[in-house]
Amino acid sequence: MFITFEGIEGCGKTTQVKLLTEKLAELKLRVAVTREPGGCRISDRIREILLDAENSSLTPLAELFLYAAARAQHVQEVIQPALATGKTVICDRFTDATLAYQGYGRNLDRALISRLNDEAVDGTLPDLTVLLDCPVETGLERAFSRINSCNGAREERFELESIQFHQRVRDGYLALAASQPARFVTIDGSKSIAEIESAVAAAVFKRLKL
Ligand code: TMP
């Protein structure tokens, strides 16, 4: 089982990934948790380039290719081996993020993005995608309070984009979810952490037939 989490900045997916992982581990399922961009050494290096606020001159096409490169490495090095040993893989962002951010957000050709996604994933597609949807203002407020309270690298290149950009990303995610209802479950990310947690668990348990 391959589960991905998606949503705009500050939608709460990182918290929910952690909670779901703990829940599945309690049920004695073997779980591998990972994220994009990143998830392994080489892809983490690419992540640093992608999210560094100083790289404001990165062109949209260069950005797209870096996401594809990070994904190709991550799928082969982490996701496919974990699935092959029977683990449930939970990934914080995957191919839909590229369609939403680079396609809808940056207006890059979505057919090209799908082609790059197909090459990078090598047939490994999510069985279930949890989309945490919330208003852009709610998400950005949460994202900035997190960034301001952390002392590590300031991974905020995307948070610095315009509200209109984030709105296009949100609309893009909703369009993707509407076009693939069998794979997506959309959950209201403005609810409380506990309410979202039980909605996520219900969706996952139904899919895992637990
Ligand atoms: P994160 O903050 O959820 O770790 O995600 C990192 C950022 O990367 C986030 O702003 C969304 C962006 N992103 C893309 O633009 N395209 C992609 O394909 C992925 C995976 C992430």
Side-chain angles (χ1 to χ4, degrees):
M1 180 86 171
F2 179 24
I3 304 168
T4 59
F5 276 73
E6 299 280 2
I8 60 166
E9 313 303 319
C11 67
K13 63 190 169 41
T14 307
T15 303
Q16 294 300 330
V17 163
K18 191 167 160 275
L19 292 169
L20 177 65
T21 305
E22 286 166 6
K23 200 164 276 175
L24 295 183
E26 274 166 26
L27 295 171
K28 306 275 178 268
L29 283 181
R30 292 187 311 124
V31 184
V33 192
T34 187
R35 69 166 178 183
E36 289 205 346
C40 55
R41 193 182 62 83
I42 292 171
S43 307
D44 280 333
R45 297 284 296 275
I46 300 175
R47 179 184 176 95
E48 287 169 21
I49 299 172
L50 281 163
L51 303 190
D52 185 343
E54 286 190 6
N55 289 340
S56 56
S57 60
L58 189 62
T59 72
L61 206 53
E63 178 185 279
L64 171 64
F65 292 154
L66 286 173
Y67 278 111
R71 178 161 303 130
Q73 185 71 31
H74 180 225
V75 166
Q76 217 175 92
E77 198 177 317
V78 177
I79 298 180
Q80 287 181 339
L83 290 170
T85 60
K87 286 186 179 160
T88 296
V89 174
I90 303 178
C91 191
D92 189 337
R93 295 196 188 280
F94 198 56
T95 46
D96 299 300
T98 321
L99 284 163
Y101 280 80
Q102 281 65 51
Y104 289 88
R106 300 243 190 265
N107 291 315
L108 290 181
D109 179 7
R110 295 207 291 278
L112 168 67
I113 297 173
S114 295
R115 169 106 172 77
L116 287 171
N117 275 345
D118 286 350
E119 291 292 334
V121 307
D122 182 31
T124 302
L125 299 170
D127 300 295
L128 173 66
T129 297
V130 178
L131 172 60
L132 297 184
D133 177 59
C134 72
V136 165
E137 293 77 10
T138 312
L140 285 178
E141 204 172 298
R142 288 179 188 157
F144 274 113
S145 65
R146 185 190 58 222
I147 288 168
N148 290 332
S149 65
C150 108
N151 333 310
R154 290 186 71 97
E155 292 185 328
E156 60 186 357
R157 200 168 62 83
F158 281 89
E159 284 80 356
L160 298 174
E161 290 288 341
S162 67
I163 291 270
Q164 289 82 350
F165 172 85
H166 292 287
Q167 190 61 53
R168 288 198 297 280
V169 173
R170 182 188 184 195
D171 293 343
Y173 270 131
L174 290 171
L176 290 168
S179 71
Q180 297 171 69
R183 171 165 69 89
F184 273 90
V185 54
T186 304
I187 293 171
D188 182 353
S190 41
K191 293 223 161 97
S192 72
I193 292 178
E195 283 171 308
I196 301 172
E197 183 185 2
S198 47
V200 169
V204 171
F205 289 179
K206 187 168 162 210
R207 207 58 69 96
L208 282 171
K209 301 198 170 60
L210 286 174

